[in-house]
PDB file of all heavy atoms in Angstrom:
ATOM      1  N   ILE A 346     -13.485  22.284   5.087  1.00 98.00           N
ATOM      2  CA  ILE A 346     -12.830  23.282   5.939  1.00 98.00           C
ATOM      3  C   ILE A 346     -13.249  22.987   7.400  1.00 98.00           C
ATOM      4  O   ILE A 346     -14.347  22.770   7.709  1.00 98.00           O
ATOM      5  CB  ILE A 346     -13.216  24.713   5.538  1.00 98.00           C
ATOM      6  CG1 ILE A 346     -12.462  25.750   6.280  1.00 98.00           C
ATOM      7  CG2 ILE A 346     -14.765  24.957   5.637  1.00 98.00           C
ATOM      8  CD1 ILE A 346     -12.439  27.115   5.589  1.00 98.00           C
ATOM      9  N   ILE A 347     -12.194  23.017   8.274  1.00 98.00           N
ATOM     10  CA  ILE A 347     -12.385  22.789   9.706  1.00 98.00           C
ATOM     11  C   ILE A 347     -12.423  24.165  10.381  1.00 98.00           C
ATOM     12  O   ILE A 347     -11.609  25.061  10.076  1.00 98.00           O
ATOM     13  CB  ILE A 347     -11.346  21.832  10.298  1.00 98.00           C
ATOM     14  CG1 ILE A 347     -11.652  21.527  11.761  1.00 98.00           C
ATOM     15  CG2 ILE A 347      -9.923  22.391  10.088  1.00 98.00           C
ATOM     16  CD1 ILE A 347     -10.734  20.448  12.309  1.00 98.00           C
ATOM     17  N   ALA A 348     -13.291  24.314  11.339  1.00 98.00           N
ATOM     18  CA  ALA A 348     -13.469  25.534  12.116  1.00 98.00           C
ATOM     19  C   ALA A 348     -13.210  25.231  13.561  1.00 98.00           C
ATOM     20  O   ALA A 348     -14.179  24.904  14.303  1.00 98.00           O
ATOM     21  CB  ALA A 348     -14.761  26.214  11.857  1.00 98.00           C
ATOM     22  N   PRO A 349     -11.981  25.346  14.090  1.00 97.00           N
ATOM     23  CA  PRO A 349     -11.775  25.223  15.495  1.00 97.00           C
ATOM     24  C   PRO A 349     -12.335  26.301  16.331  1.00 97.00           C
ATOM     25  O   PRO A 349     -12.475  27.433  15.879  1.00 97.00           O
ATOM     26  CB  PRO A 349     -10.201  25.199  15.656  1.00 97.00           C
ATOM     27  CG  PRO A 349      -9.664  25.057  14.196  1.00 97.00           C
ATOM     28  CD  PRO A 349     -10.743  25.659  13.334  1.00 97.00           C
ATOM     29  N   GLY A 350     -12.767  25.936  17.575  1.00 95.00           N
ATOM     30  CA  GLY A 350     -13.140  26.905  18.533  1.00 95.00           C
ATOM     31  C   GLY A 350     -11.889  27.382  19.246  1.00 95.00           C
ATOM     32  O   GLY A 350     -10.794  27.312  18.723  1.00 95.00           O
ATOM     33  N   ALA A 351     -12.052  27.957  20.390  1.00 92.00           N
ATOM     34  CA  ALA A 351     -10.902  28.503  21.205  1.00 92.00           C
ATOM     35  C   ALA A 351     -10.036  27.296  21.659  1.00 92.00           C
ATOM     36  O   ALA A 351     -10.601  26.349  22.237  1.00 92.00           O
ATOM     37  CB  ALA A 351     -11.403  29.306  22.375  1.00 92.00           C
ATOM     38  N   ILE A 352      -8.788  27.387  21.436  1.00 91.00           N
ATOM     39  CA  ILE A 352      -7.840  26.317  21.744  1.00 91.00           C
ATOM     40  C   ILE A 352      -6.668  26.850  22.601  1.00 91.00           C
ATOM     41  O   ILE A 352      -6.217  27.908  22.331  1.00 91.00           O
ATOM     42  CB  ILE A 352      -7.284  25.599  20.481  1.00 91.00           C
ATOM     43  CG1 ILE A 352      -8.446  25.210  19.529  1.00 91.00           C
ATOM     44  CG2 ILE A 352      -6.430  24.421  20.794  1.00 91.00           C
ATOM     45  CD1 ILE A 352      -9.311  24.174  20.008  1.00 91.00           C
ATOM     46  N   GLU A 353      -6.250  26.011  23.530  1.00 86.00           N
ATOM     47  CA  GLU A 353      -5.056  26.448  24.334  1.00 86.00           C
ATOM     48  C   GLU A 353      -3.777  26.220  23.586  1.00 86.00           C
ATOM     49  O   GLU A 353      -3.170  25.142  23.607  1.00 86.00           O
ATOM     50  CB  GLU A 353      -5.011  25.600  25.650  1.00 86.00           C
ATOM     51  CG  GLU A 353      -6.215  25.932  26.644  1.00 86.00           C
ATOM     52  CD  GLU A 353      -6.047  25.156  27.935  1.00 86.00           C
ATOM     53  OE1 GLU A 353      -5.057  24.458  28.124  1.00 86.00           O
ATOM     54  OE2 GLU A 353      -6.963  25.274  28.767  1.00 86.00           O
ATOM     55  N   THR A 354      -3.322  27.253  22.867  1.00 75.00           N
ATOM     56  CA  THR A 354      -2.052  27.250  22.189  1.00 75.00           C
ATOM     57  C   THR A 354      -1.368  28.563  22.416  1.00 75.00           C
ATOM     58  O   THR A 354      -1.930  29.466  23.117  1.00 75.00           O
ATOM     59  CB  THR A 354      -2.180  27.025  20.651  1.00 75.00           C
ATOM     60  OG1 THR A 354      -2.788  28.094  20.064  1.00 75.00           O
ATOM     61  CG2 THR A 354      -2.989  25.744  20.393  1.00 75.00           C
ATOM     62  N   ASP A 355      -0.235  28.838  21.685  1.00 74.00           N
ATOM     63  CA  ASP A 355       0.405  30.109  21.755  1.00 74.00           C
ATOM     64  C   ASP A 355      -0.175  31.109  20.751  1.00 74.00           C
ATOM     65  O   ASP A 355       0.259  32.251  20.641  1.00 74.00           O
ATOM     66  CB  ASP A 355       1.892  29.995  21.573  1.00 74.00           C
ATOM     67  CG  ASP A 355       2.297  29.414  20.191  1.00 74.00           C
ATOM     68  OD1 ASP A 355       1.356  29.114  19.360  1.00 74.00           O
ATOM     69  OD2 ASP A 355       3.508  29.216  19.963  1.00 74.00           O
TER      70      ASP A 355
END
Side-chain angles (χ1 to χ4, degrees):
I346 188 161
I347 184 172
I352 308 295
E353 291 186 4
T354 69
D355 61 2

